[in-house]
Amino acid sequence: MRRPPVPPGPPGVTRRIALCFLTSAAGAIGFAVTYGLGGQTQWEGVCLAVAFAGLATGLSIWGRRLVSVGGYVEEHEGFVPPPDEQAMTAEVLTAPDSPVRRRGLLATLGLALSALGVAALFPLRSLLPWDRTRPVRALKETPWRPGVRLVTADGRPLRPADVPADVMVGVFPEGDVDAGDAPAFAVRLHPERFTRPPSGGHLDGLVVYSMLCTHAGCPVRLYLRGTGRMLCPCHQSSFDLFADARPIAGPAARPLPGLPVEVSSDGYLRATGDFTAPPGAGFWDQP
Ligand code: FES
């Protein structure tokens, strides 16, 4: 018995399949590079989509256009094929013109699968304890660090005299004004009215707290002058600044985290560390 002739395939098909696999490899490499540069969810999704679409399209064309499908009938002759049929099958699979050994296709398929496999390893880096972008770590750390100056929304550094008595001033970390977890506010209070020491300390009554409500993360912006109370406009949680920003009304259950600050030798307000607790709404390991 002779093996059926392998159809040559329409011109250019091999090149199209190889192009699909190369596209897949490029998508996988793009995913790895995007992830390595700090990650961008939308681009990572696009790269993975390109990688899998290229792979699927290449395999689909390969199966439909190059593999012989046509009209061969044989009688059932038992489960072990005769030797000449085994030899024919081996020849179909291994001959130089075999559809599964087309010029360079195995190499490009291997490249695409290898790139995808390597790209799949990259997210494992997020599990390493020292990775700053690790999700759990990112939830607990903000741009506030020792030495970071407190600035206004337009980037102007603040001195203690820029925070008048009983006026709320929004403050941000210099260089990271747009960071979503960093907004804070400064208020100068009468220290003799403190019923609990501020968690972040105070500078002659000047206290700094996170502006993110501990209920659902809305900005706590409403300061009721003379009362030492901050009000969240979303669901009316109220925080008592004289009692270390403890919630005294509304659904919030945790105090606003404090920010420890100092006056540096140049007279500007600088943080001496991060917030005393993760800012904003509680998450899974919050008590
Ligand atoms: S987000 Fe502030 S009370 Fe709900």
Side-chain angles (χ1 to χ4, degrees), residues 88-143:
M88 183 200 73
T89 303
E91 188 183 350
V92 166
L93 294 176
T94 60
D97 62 344
S98 162
V100 296
R101 300 190 65 185
R102 289 275 172 162
R103 299 172 295 277
L105 288 190
L106 285 179
T108 51
L109 175 61
L111 176 65
L113 291 176
S114 305
L116 264 174
V118 171
L121 297 178
F122 271 65
L124 295 179
R125 196 193 70 178
S126 297
L127 300 177
L128 302 178
W130 56 83
D131 183 1
R132 290 192 67 79
T133 61
R134 194 174 177 227
V136 172
R137 185 167 177 173
L139 281 173
K140 292 181 174 175
E141 295 185 358
T142 77

Side-chain angles (χ1 to χ4, degrees), residues 2-287:
R2 282 180 53 77
R3 71 181 175 89
V6 176
V13 168
T14 302
R15 210 173 323 124
R16 286 209 323 257
I17 297 173
L19 193 62
C20 289
F21 291 152
L22 291 175
T23 305
S24 172
I29 293 169
F31 170 82
V33 170
T34 308
Y35 183 88
L37 292 178
Q40 207 281 346
T41 308
Q42 285 78 12
W43 276 115
E44 289 171 356
V46 168
C47 290
L48 278 183
V50 168
F52 283 113
L55 188 62
T57 307
L59 289 174
S60 167
I61 299 175
W62 194 344
R64 284 192 299 114
R65 307 301 290 275
L66 293 185
V67 175
S68 177
V69 291
Y72 308 110
V73 179
E74 69 172 339
E75 298 301 319
H76 189 274
E77 298 172 355
F79 292 105
V80 178
D84 61 334
E85 204 172 310
Q86 293 180 29
M88 183 200 73
T89 303
E91 188 183 350
V92 166
L93 294 176
T94 60
D97 62 344
S98 162
V100 296
R101 300 190 65 185
R102 289 275 172 162
R103 299 172 295 277
L105 288 190
L106 285 179
T108 51
L109 175 61
L111 176 65
L113 291 176
S114 305
L116 264 174
V118 171
L121 297 178
F122 271 65
L124 295 179
R125 196 193 70 178
S126 297
L127 300 177
L128 302 178
W130 56 83
D131 183 1
R132 290 192 67 79
T133 61
R134 194 174 177 227
V136 172
R137 185 167 177 173
L139 281 173
K140 292 181 174 175
E141 295 185 358
T142 77
W144 291 110
R145 290 180 299 279
V148 172
R149 288 200 295 189
L150 281 62
V151 300
T152 59
D154 55 4
R156 183 172 56 85
L158 289 166
R159 299 171 188 273
D162 296 321
V163 183
D166 228 17
V167 172
M168 193 275 277
V169 177
V171 297
F172 306 84
E174 187 172 35
D176 281 297
V177 169
D178 293 330
D181 54 358
F185 64 84
V187 179
R188 186 182 294 282
L189 303 168
H190 296 293
E192 62 275 10
R193 294 182 63 185
F194 287 143
T195 56
R196 276 191 196 184
S199 60
H202 70 95
L203 294 171
D204 196 21
L206 190 156
V207 290
V208 183
Y209 285 99
S210 165
M211 194 183 281
L212 301 184
C213 182
T214 53
H215 173 227
C218 282
V220 181
R221 287 181 173 279
L222 303 178
Y223 178 56
L224 306 178
R225 296 183 71 169
T227 65
R229 290 187 183 176
M230 293 294 295
L231 189 67
C232 176
C234 286
H235 312 101
Q236 283 73 50
S237 283
S238 182
F239 301 89
D240 183 359
L241 300 185
F242 289 124
D244 192 24
R246 184 173 58 95
I248 53 176
R254 288 192 300 126
L256 296 175
L259 182 72
V261 295
E262 65 177 4
V263 181
S264 58
S265 56
D266 56 5
Y268 290 107
L269 288 168
R270 293 181 187 267
T272 60
D274 206 342
F275 287 121
T276 53
F283 50 96
W284 57 273
D285 71 342
Q286 280 295 312

